[in-house]
Amino acid sequence: MPSIAQPDAVHIRLMTAPLNVVILAAGKGTRMKSDLPKVLHPLAGKPLLAHVLAAADSLSPERICVVYGHGGEALPQAIGRPDLAWAKQEPQLGTGHAVQQAVPHLNPDALCLILYGDVPLTRPETLQEMTLIAREGVIALLTVRLANPAGYGRIVRNARGQVERIVEHKDASPEELAIDEVNTGILCLPAGKLAGWLSRLTNQNAQGEYYLTDVIGMAAAEGEKVIPCHPAAEWEVLGINSRQQLAELERTHQRNIADALMVRGVTLIDPARIDVRGSLECGKDVLIDVNCVFEGRVVLGDGVKVGANCVLKNVTIAEGGDIRPFCHLEGASIGARAQIGPYSRLRPGTELAEETHIGNFVEIKNSQVGFNSKINHLSYVGDATVGRKVNIGAGTITCNYDGANKFRTVIEDNAFIGSDTQLVAPVTVGEGATLGAGTTLTKDAPAGQLTMSRARQLSLPGWQRPTKSGKGKG
Ligand code: UD1
Ligand code: CA
């Protein structure tokens, strides 16, 4: 009995069909007024398209095809993902024409989800729900009601409330313009059927374009069910066309991140003044003051405080770390209960042990600093290994670079480095050694001794300051 068996077979095939994702990204983005392709503009430090790709990846699709065109090869090059299929659309004749370019890359037996490179914040949960609905053998269409639907395609429903077609703003009658349910453009449907409908599109409309939206009317006319899905929040479906919209969505996104941090127990002095451009993991009772920027992967342990106006990139701070205002920390790992700043700069390769103190105008690069050592003022420590309980005085400089090569400085436990000292690497300061202030150290300083290189101080009794001779004017 094929008439009964067949729908079941189709249904079962869809339930287990692979997922293919098409991302439209060929548009010009004229209003950005930029040389950079629109979808490469960053949101939270990451290109718009990378956000969409991350959402797509989270659905474990069999294939992802990006339709590109405007901006040329700059886009695939910048994204640099050989696992993606790239379909060039040239010229750009509309959204339906764009998806047609992807068809040769699609598995006809797959379920196809259509996304947009300039709509960056759709939650994976929303997309997952759409794919589950489409697996029931219907078309899942993401729609939203807007207070101001101007410019969008409107969702036209029949007398029974079923979706019948989509009419573009420029083609709509006055009655249709009054509809406030709009098309987000995101939809999920079987790839094989999509290809059939796309092949029958025409451009007989106000814009002379091949509209993807016409597929909905064709499907409904053939008796297919179109099921509208809705995002949990409007920002999920907002697209970027201008720098104002990009800036607004950035604020929305950052506010969402701030809310999530607070829900997890982080104190933010002002949730409107934090920027996370990567991942920020926080322990319990972390406090973050205003105007801090977090980039890459940042991990803050229990009780860490970050003072105002700090920039942290790829940094790990263990419990109780106290980062005072105006610090720039990158590629550093900071031990428990360390005190950093104000005005400290830690560069990549800095490893500070527990209870270290790093003060104002101190720069550290590619160095290990041991337990409870202190570098409190105006110093440069680079390519150095500093032991435990070392005290480095103000104005100390490791001269690690001879113009061609870099050398290490080793300062052993309990050493005391007097102020205004230069350590010309390679050089070692032994355990418990003291360097007199102003020393230029060019040879190793023995453990336990005082070493200094400055000239002996002398005073001349009876010396007179010169006086003016009185002739003429000086
Ligand atoms: C489209 C929808 C509209 C919906 C709106 C949501 C159509 C016909 N209309 O309208 O119903 O309310 O999105 O924002 O689909 N693109 C290409 N190649 C093209 C044309 C567009 O890749 O030839 C890409 C653009 O880069 C953009 C997206 O498709 O990311 C949407 O294109 P756009 O021209 O902005 O469509 P709208 O007119 O806004
Ligand atoms: Ca648009």
Side-chain angles (χ1 to χ4, degrees), residues 384-405:
T385 305
V386 178
R388 298 162 64 89
K389 291 187 165 288
V390 168
N391 196 313
I392 295 188
T396 298
I397 294 171
T398 56
C399 310
N400 57 323
Y401 185 52
D402 64 5
N405 298 297

Side-chain angles (χ1 to χ4, degrees), residues 64-300:
I64 299 177
C65 178
V66 182
V67 181
Y68 73 112
H70 207 86
E73 305 310 314
L75 187 57
Q77 271 164 22
I79 295 295
R81 278 189 44 174
D83 60 315
L84 304 180
W86 293 88
K88 195 160 191 175
Q89 185 202 17
E90 217 173 35
Q92 285 107 45
L93 302 178
T95 50
H97 178 254
V99 179
Q100 273 171 1
Q101 313 312 305
V103 166
H105 298 276
L106 300 181
N107 173 350
D109 296 324
L111 204 57
C112 178
L113 174 69
I114 296 174
L115 302 177
Y116 299 81
D118 58 0
V119 180
L121 295 183
T122 319
R123 290 179 317 127
E125 294 84 347
T126 300
L127 299 175
Q128 182 73 40
E129 189 191 311
M130 289 182 72
T131 62
L132 290 178
I133 288 171
R135 286 188 191 286
E136 302 286 338
V138 299
I139 295 175
L141 177 68
L142 195 63
T143 75
V144 66
R145 287 185 189 281
L146 293 182
N148 177 14
Y152 288 89
R154 308 298 208 281
I155 306 297
V156 180
R157 295 177 182 245
N158 66 18
R160 282 179 296 160
Q162 293 160 332
V163 174
E164 206 171 60
R165 62 194 167 88
I166 298 172
V167 61
E168 290 305 296
H169 183 105
K170 288 184 179 152
D171 300 287
S173 66
E175 299 77 53
E176 288 165 342
L177 288 178
I179 298 171
D180 68 351
E181 186 183 9
V182 307
N183 172 36
T184 66
I186 297 174
L187 71 160
C188 187
L189 70 181
K193 285 184 178 170
L194 170 66
W197 291 317
L198 287 173
S199 69
R200 287 163 39 206
L201 287 180
T202 71
N203 62 354
Q204 309 300 303
N205 53 53
Q207 302 184 77
E209 288 183 3
Y210 295 90
Y211 289 165
L212 173 62
T213 45
D214 285 350
V215 159
I216 296 297
M218 291 178 181
E222 288 178 16
E224 298 277 344
K225 267 209 186 107
V226 179
I227 303 296
C229 308
H230 310 294
E234 202 176 296
W235 49 258
E236 286 195 56
V237 297
L238 293 179
I240 303 297
N241 296 301
S242 67
R243 298 198 193 240
Q244 292 94 317
Q245 289 172 344
L246 179 59
E248 274 169 32
L249 200 58
E250 176 82 41
R251 282 350 301 160
T252 303
H253 184 50
Q254 292 298 344
R255 181 63 210 223
N256 291 342
I257 293 171
D259 285 338
L261 287 168
M262 292 189 290
V263 165
R264 279 185 261 132
V266 176
T267 296
L268 300 179
I269 298 299
D270 183 356
R273 283 185 288 169
I274 176 173
D275 283 84
V276 181
R277 301 176 191 151
S279 74
L280 174 58
E281 292 165 43
C282 293
K284 255 194 261 164
D285 293 312
V286 166
L287 183 147
I288 299 172
D289 207 335
V290 300
N291 293 334
C292 291
V293 178
F294 299 89
E295 298 179 79
R297 178 166 184 262
V298 175
V299 181
L300 306 180

